[in-house]
Amino acid sequence: MTTTWRPLAVTLAIQALVAMALITVPVMAPVLAQDLGISSTYVGIYVGVVYAAAMLASLSAGAAVARFGAIRVSQVGLLLCAAGLALSALGSLPAMAVGALLVGLGYGPVTPASSHLLARTTPADRMSLVFSIKQTGVPLGGVLAGALVPPLLVMGWRGALLAVAAANLACIFVAQPLRAALDADRDPQRPLVLGNLAQPIRIVLAHPPLRLLAGCSFLFSIAQLSLTTYLVTYLHDILAYGLVAAGLALSVSQAAGVVGRVLWGYVSDRYLGARRMLATLAALVSACALLTAALNAAMPAVVVLVVLALFGASAIGWNGVYLAEVAREAPAGQASVATGGTLAITFLGVVLGPPAFGALSGATGSYRIGFVAVALALVVCLFALLRPLRKAGASLRSSP
């Protein structure tokens, strides 16, 4: 268990800090937009730029991990996230665009790198649970951003950005003592071939189970990032919540995502299996998106928080089950490459999803329409996951 615990602890911490770096700007979007004189819906473009860069970085992560080691690649990711936040603090739109690019380049390689470590050190019967615990780093970063960034705004939004950048830099030094042991499998002589970015995607497309998982992750990611990107703005602008109260509501949804990732990983390993678990979550996300669209300012806060907790538990809780299944289905020794390929498609959903959510909400004058669209997308995902399960069931019934 010790060999599993150390990689899990360090990858969890790194994942939480880079996730916090990504979510910081969406949390402060109402204040930042007012100061810069732009619409809050443009935060979707910021997130889209982040994930476009993350998509490219994830495709090149396998080669970088093989040569430099997963911990070193993750440390570089933390450094790039810190640099991106610091650049965004300059306050000009071009600087923020480049800052978003750097945050994405830092965020993208972290999950493939951690999958490489955990695939080597985790027993097969605990894969979903361990990967789910590691992936709690993403909603944990959201909890930290939602709880800490609004109070940090007393320093101004520039000061808040620099504070989160400093936390990412500190994590580099925390990870360093483990680097020698956890990067022992690196090959410094391995050619750093970053040009063949299509190879991870080819691996995914050549394996039908990976292809299905990647396609469904595209839709799940739209739901997850639409919730994370626009929840504070939705509560602030439509339900008249104060920024601190809206940030705490975001923290509740993200904390529920932490619980959900562990719970769904356990249920997947012990009872349902990955495909049935993902289908169940698709149905739950769709229902919660419709309930979120129906929220109004007259509802008791506890009702709003319960809905958002369920939404967060499902829309944020799917990743660990998904990533563990990718690692299982990947060709031998190709976990980081297959993860990079599937994540490129996952990130494509994030690149397209939040800007589309913002554009649809802006065009219709209602964030509620955006959440209804999310619900419909997850219905598509549900049917895609159920189809092979029905085929497998039919095959079993017809066999002698």
Side-chain angles (χ1 to χ4, degrees):
M1 186 65 183
T2 302
T3 57
T4 300
W5 180 86
R6 293 178 71 200
L8 178 58
V10 70
T11 54
L12 176 62
I14 293 169
Q15 191 81 62
L17 267 295
V18 297
M20 185 181 183
L22 192 156
I23 298 170
T24 292
V25 168
V27 168
M28 62 173 64
V31 171
L32 191 152
Q34 184 177 12
D35 192 46
L36 297 181
I38 60 175
S39 169
S40 295
T41 60
Y42 283 107
V43 70
I45 297 176
Y46 174 91
V47 173
V49 171
V50 169
Y51 275 95
M55 180 170 59
L56 294 175
S58 71
L59 290 172
S60 63
V65 166
R67 177 161 180 167
F68 300 111
I71 293 297
R72 179 63 81 224
V73 168
S74 298
Q75 287 175 310
V76 172
L78 288 162
L79 179 62
L80 288 170
C81 285
L85 292 175
L87 190 59
S88 296
L90 294 177
S92 72
L93 292 181
M96 294 197 73
V98 178
L101 183 68
L102 292 178
V103 170
L105 291 175
Y107 185 85
V110 168
T111 297
S114 62
S115 290
H116 174 83
L117 283 177
L118 296 180
R120 288 196 298 115
T121 58
T122 304
D125 62 342
R126 292 203 296 265
M127 289 278 278
S128 287
L129 180 59
V130 169
F131 273 69
S132 293
I133 292 173
K134 195 279 298 183
Q135 282 303 111
T136 62
V138 176
L140 181 58
V143 171
L144 294 173
L148 299 180
V149 171
L152 286 173
L153 291 173
V154 297
M155 303 185 299
W157 61 266
R158 291 177 175 83
L161 285 171
L162 293 175
V164 178
N168 275 259
L169 290 175
C171 192
I172 294 174
F173 296 98
V174 171
Q176 182 58 31
L178 299 176
R179 200 253 167 162
L182 296 183
D183 283 357
D185 65 330
R186 69 188 185 277
D187 180 6
Q189 306 305 317
R190 177 81 170 263
L192 189 61
V193 182
L194 300 179
N196 190 12
L197 298 182
Q199 181 190 6
I201 294 178
R202 280 201 295 267
I203 289 175
V204 171
L205 296 180
H207 292 76
L210 292 177
R211 194 163 62 234
L212 173 65
L213 290 168
C216 288
S217 77
F218 174 85
L219 298 175
F220 269 115
S221 67
I222 291 175
Q224 178 180 338
L225 265 293
S226 295
L227 172 66
T228 301
T229 302
Y230 287 101
L231 180 59
V232 169
T233 302
Y234 176 59
L235 295 176
H236 182 270
D237 292 356
I238 306 303
L239 273 65
Y241 277 46
L243 196 58
V244 171
L248 289 176
L250 174 65
S251 289
V252 168
S253 72
Q254 300 288 313
V258 172
V259 175
R261 290 195 177 194
V262 178
L263 176 61
W264 309 140
Y266 177 81
V267 172
S268 175
D269 280 342
R270 293 293 299 272
Y271 302 109
L272 294 182
R275 306 299 175 82
R276 288 184 177 84
M277 187 73 258
L278 290 171
T280 301
L281 290 175
L284 187 55
V285 171
S286 183
C288 289
L290 291 175
L291 289 173
T292 300
L295 295 177
N296 62 70
M299 287 182 173
V302 66
V303 173
V304 174
L305 292 178
V306 167
V307 170
L308 296 179
L310 289 173
F311 200 174
S314 52
I316 300 168
W318 60 278
N319 305 65
V321 176
Y322 153 68
L323 289 170
E325 187 68 2
V326 169
R328 287 192 193 97
E329 296 287 353
Q334 297 290 308
S336 65
V337 178
T339 300
T342 56
L343 279 178
I345 298 172
T346 307
F347 290 159
L348 181 61
V350 182
V351 170
L352 300 177
F357 186 105
L360 179 61
S361 300
T364 60
S366 173
Y367 288 104
R368 301 182 194 278
I369 299 299
F371 285 114
V372 171
V374 166
L376 295 176
L378 268 294
V379 170
V380 174
C381 180
L382 173 62
F383 282 104
L385 287 164
L386 288 178
R387 185 178 179 185
L389 290 174
R390 286 197 300 267
K391 285 184 176 179
S395 297
L396 287 174
R397 288 192 297 270
S398 63
S399 61

